[in-house]
Amino acid sequence: MRRILVGLKRVIDHGVRVHLRPDGSGVVTDGVKMSLNPFCEIALEEALRIREASRADEVVAVSLGPAEVEQQLRQALAMGADRAIRIEAEGALEPLTVARSLLAVAEREQPFLILLGKQAIDSDNNQTGQILAGLWGRPQATFASEIRLGESTVTVAREIDQGIEVLELDLPAVVTADLRLNEPRYVKLPQLLKAKKLPIETLTLTGLGIEPESQFRVIETTPPPSRTAGIRVESVDELVAILDERGLIP
Amino acid sequence: MTRVLVIAEHDDAELAPATLNVIGALRALAPQGVDVAVLAAGGESVARSAARIGGVGRVRLLARVENSPCLAAVWASQVAELASEYTHVLAPATTFGKDLIPRAAALRGAGALSDIVAIDGPYRFRRPVYAGNAIVTVEADPERTVFATVRPTAFSAPADEADAPIEALTLDVELPAHTRFVERRGDHRTGPDLQTASTVVVGGRGLGGPAGVALIEGLAARLGAAVGASRAAVDSGWMPNELQVGQTGKIVAPGLYLGIGVSGAIQHLTGIRDAGTIVAINKDAQAPICAAADIVLVADLFTAVPELVDRLDRRGAS
Ligand SMILES: Cc1cc2nc3c(=O)[nH]c(=O)nc-3n(C[C@H](O)[C@H](O)[C@H](O)COP(=O)(O)OP(=O)(O)OC[C@H]3O[C@@H](n4cnc5c(N)ncnc54)[C@H](O)[C@@H]3O)c2cc1C
Ligand SMILES: Nc1ncnc2c1ncn2[C@@H]1O[C@H](COP(=O)(O)O)[C@@H](O)[C@H]1O
């Protein structure tokens, strides 16, 4: 069985403007729209396309989190994932904990490819894939914008600061998805309804022999420094005059 | 006592400027000076540049053919080995550092901190989350080496010089052969670098196509500015990916930023929050960028930009 494992995170929807709790204890999540992390959705879409091209037999979606993450796992099933696994976990998880858990699942499932998002848009960590690949002792290709599967290798184009870098990795490997890898499909209502009835396997951290990490303690959450209100100019001449006055133009 | 190691980003010939900002950020934590690791095939000239940066105590040169071009998996094994001597191991929060640091941390059974923007103490840091809409203060376990990436635009490069010793080092670590470099494709634009330029001109979907891109390129040339892009402009295929500014592109902090035909989505604004002066040229006064900007010109870019270039030309001539 050629299997792909995909890691999915539930996050505050990317269109929501987050609000901080006044006591510095974090962001308001009550009543806020939650979604599948956009990069995870892209990772899943890529896995599905690989399976649809008959280069894989099965796509397994995994998410760590409380019972609510089953909504995102159901979305994954509706998109076309074959199986879904939830690992019961509460609170903020460090990437090391997530990576160890995904590794434990990988040891059971023996995937030839693990696809993750390049970053979760809530914690903005951009770490889990790299940590997982390190722990697993397998190759990594982060920030993927193109993936081509060979027999025992995968060729990945990566979006890096200097342009595009292409790497060839031996399988099994970890690849993290960037924005331009693909455009995820829309899920239709009947598929969502059908996915509601599908089973989701539940595992526990204890069952996997994993102790949640607490290397980093969040002391407080504060708003970013604010900028002063701006002005409106009526013409290009006025713009040039102000920029000139501030010494910003040659 | 803290012992700090910075991993140099470079292309085997030149040190990437972001490395200097990381050294600048960390020198306060390193009473004996910051150690800089140069992993390279040759690397002598990079090591010499590193040795001259103020705050550097020692350069450790790990020359091995496998180190060029840089592969995170190959470098991580060596960085993890070196890390046993340090309390802090850091790199710039560029695609280079983000690829390398978490993997190296994992090899030592540690996690990492991404995108540090302030250092409050040896184990207390601040970093943005939620696309920069919140800043968290984080305390790291002092019993473990802190692996982290540092946002270059949040710190200045050392202004002084040093003359640190260079130590050639061989590590007895087995390097993985499971990852192979195939090629690198860059756009090789001329003009200033996006991340270090003092003026940045960013174009968005409003550019409408290559003609619009040519307009802002002309403006950028006139201003000696670097050109950047919103995600929409990159997704449309008008501009290359390495020009994307924002949460998932580059973070810029120029003295002057001009956003032209850019709406100012949260994910874009987070990339320009530290700019000195933000100018928006947009035909829609309700676009979010107009609320975030210091100076707003509500106008059609196809008339405003040529007019702006013309005014700048005339100033130059007079
Ligand atoms: C996970 C995630 C990550 C993202 N990361 C990034 C990122 O790193 N960087 C980024 O930029 N985006 C990012 N985005 C996308 C972001 O949400 C916006 O979709 C994108 O920034 C919009 O680009 P734009 O402003 O060019 O286009 P639009 O939002 O379409 O805005 C175009 C603007 O041009 C103006 N305009 C049109 N014609 C003219 C004219 N003739 N003259 C003057 N003005 C005109 C319009 O009024 C409008 O305000 C991300 C999104 C997600 C979900
Ligand atoms: N709780 C989680 N459950 C499953 N996968 C996760 C979880 N958190 C992070 N990931 C995966 O790791 C990627 C990168 O996340 P991060 O390193 O936290 O930015 C995400 O896009 C997911 O693919």
Side-chain angles (χ1 to χ4, degrees), chain A residues 16 43 47 70-71 91-92 94 128 152 179 196:
Chain A
V16 170
E70 295 201 349
Q71 289 168 22
E94 298 189 5
T128 307
S152 58
L179 288 173
K196 277 209 160 77

Side-chain angles (χ1 to χ4, degrees), chain A residues 12 14-18 20 27 29 39 42 94-96 100 118-128 130-135 137-143 146 153 155 157-170 178-180 213-225 227-237 239-240 242-244 246 248-250, chain B residues 9 70-72 94-96 98-100 102-103 106-107 109-114 124 127-141 144-147 177-187 195 199 222-223 231 234-235 241-242 244 247-248 250 255-256 258 266-267 272-279 281 285 292-298 304 307-308 311-312 315:
Chain A
I12 292 182
H14 67 83
V16 170
R17 177 164 278 285
V18 300
L20 305 193
V27 303
T29 49
F39 294 97
I42 295 169
E94 298 189 5
L96 188 52
R100 283 189 180 135
K118 83 161 176 182
Q119 112 191 36
I121 61 161
D122 51 359
S123 56
D124 281 335
N125 276 319
N126 197 330
Q127 293 178 15
T128 307
Q130 299 86 310
I131 293 179
L132 172 59
L135 295 176
R138 296 304 309 166
Q140 72 188 44
T142 47
F143 328 137
E146 199 190 331
T153 59
T155 303
R158 313 173 52 227
E159 292 200 1
I160 60 167
D161 289 341
Q162 294 76 19
I164 299 284
E165 180 182 85
V166 183
L167 298 181
E168 185 189 70
L169 319 176
D170 290 341
D178 212 324
L179 288 173
R180 278 171 283 275
E213 270 296 334
S214 52
Q215 188 185 349
F216 303 107
R217 208 158 53 89
V218 175
I219 309 290
E220 62 168 350
T221 306
T222 51
R227 297 182 65 97
T228 49
I231 53 164
R232 185 154 155 193
V233 295
E234 298 305 326
S235 67
V236 167
D237 284 330
L239 174 62
V240 170
I242 294 176
L243 294 179
D244 194 17
R246 298 190 187 178
L248 290 168
I249 48 176
Chain B
E9 176 171 357
C70 168
L71 296 170
T94 52
T95 52
F96 157 80
K98 289 176 183 171
D99 196 30
L100 171 68
R103 187 174 179 116
L107 299 182
L113 277 177
S114 303
R124 205 175 166 114
R127 56 175 300 263
V129 292
Y130 294 97
N133 287 301
I135 307 287
V136 285
T137 303
V138 182
E139 211 152 75
D141 175 6
R144 278 192 268 187
T145 298
V146 177
F147 286 85
H178 50 46
T179 307
R180 290 167 295 276
F181 175 85
V182 178
E183 63 169 332
R184 215 178 240 203
R185 300 191 293 261
D187 197 56
Q195 273 157 308
T199 304
R222 191 64 195 75
L223 291 169
R231 176 187 170 188
V234 177
D235 284 0
N241 68 277
E242 64 268 25
Q244 182 172 314
Q247 180 188 20
T248 54
K250 286 178 177 158
L256 174 63
L258 294 107
I266 303 173
Q267 294 88 1
I272 63 171
R273 205 179 279 279
D274 295 324
T277 298
I278 297 176
V279 174
I281 301 181
D294 300 297
I295 308 175
V296 178
L297 175 63
V298 177
E307 203 179 321
L308 183 53
R311 293 296 181 283
L312 293 167
R315 276 162 46 87

